[in-house]
Amino acid sequence: MLLKKSSLLLALAFLVSVCPGCSSSGVRLRPDGTPERQFCPDGALEAMKDLGITQGDLFSILIDRRQRDRGAVVIADGAIESTTTEDYTRLPYGTRLYGQAWTAAPVTVIRYHEALLPDGTRLPFCAVAEEEGHGLVKHANSPRGVAILDDNRAGLRIVGAYN
């Protein structure tokens, strides 16, 4: 047991030394707590193009599919699963979107890297959650590591890279 704990601590120390200032997802963070620029996952732009989805397209999503109600929602740092809320020709109703949330800044950032279509097709994806062209503004009294948002619905903006 002691050996396992020692190995785990060494691995964690190595990860921190490899990427100081990185979040748990390995993405470097800016001083304001937002993640730095990232490229889209390999194949995402081609996969989205095959669906007829292009950079700038906007869709409606339920931010946290586990919290089905409309209204205030609590989002934690880390992995998130969202879903489309309307039936779009190119991105059907119920498409699941897998991503990562960062809540340290006044604006919560959610980046999506994979989609699961209702027919079972998985594809790399490149999109962000937004409200009125910006990230998701959280309540000022949100505890550390979480964001309290006014609504569980947001826009899903297709991007060519994460800014």
Side-chain angles (χ1 to χ4, degrees):
M1 183 65 139
L2 183 59
L3 184 58
K4 278 187 178 180
K5 285 184 180 179
S6 298
S7 297
L8 184 60
L9 288 173
L10 281 173
L12 184 58
F14 173 75
L15 288 174
V16 171
S17 69
V18 169
C19 190
C22 288
S23 66
S24 61
S25 65
V27 176
R28 285 183 142 321
L29 300 178
R30 296 179 179 108
D32 69 356
T34 59
E36 286 189 352
R37 183 176 171 83
Q38 262 181 297
F39 293 108
C40 294
D42 289 342
L45 300 177
E46 296 80 13
M48 292 186 304
K49 183 179 177 182
D50 290 346
L51 286 177
I53 298 171
T54 59
Q55 186 175 343
D57 285 352
L58 185 63
F59 302 94
S60 178
I61 60 168
L62 193 63
I63 299 168
D64 185 344
R65 71 179 300 275
R66 296 169 304 151
Q67 299 177 55
R68 294 244 175 229
D69 295 332
R70 186 133 195 201
V73 65
V74 177
I75 303 297
D77 281 328
I80 190 162
E81 183 179 345
S82 303
T83 188
T84 55
T85 59
E86 297 178 33
D87 197 15
Y88 302 100
T89 304
R90 299 160 294 160
L91 197 60
Y93 170 81
T95 297
R96 292 184 185 188
L97 305 160
Y98 300 97
Q100 180 77 24
W102 291 267
T103 65
V107 174
T108 298
V109 174
I110 302 177
R111 294 176 174 174
Y112 297 97
H113 53 79
E114 184 178 38
L116 174 62
L117 302 177
D119 70 4
T121 303
R122 280 192 183 272
L123 56 115
F125 206 70
C126 197
V128 296
E130 67 174 36
E131 293 174 322
E132 301 175 14
H134 303 287
L136 307 170
V137 179
K138 70 180 188 178
H139 287 229
N141 63 344
S142 295
R144 182 183 173 106
V146 300
I148 301 171
L149 307 174
D150 283 333
D151 199 350
N152 196 17
R153 302 243 175 169
L156 175 77
R157 175 78 58 190
I158 305 301
V159 295
Y162 304 110
N163 290 322

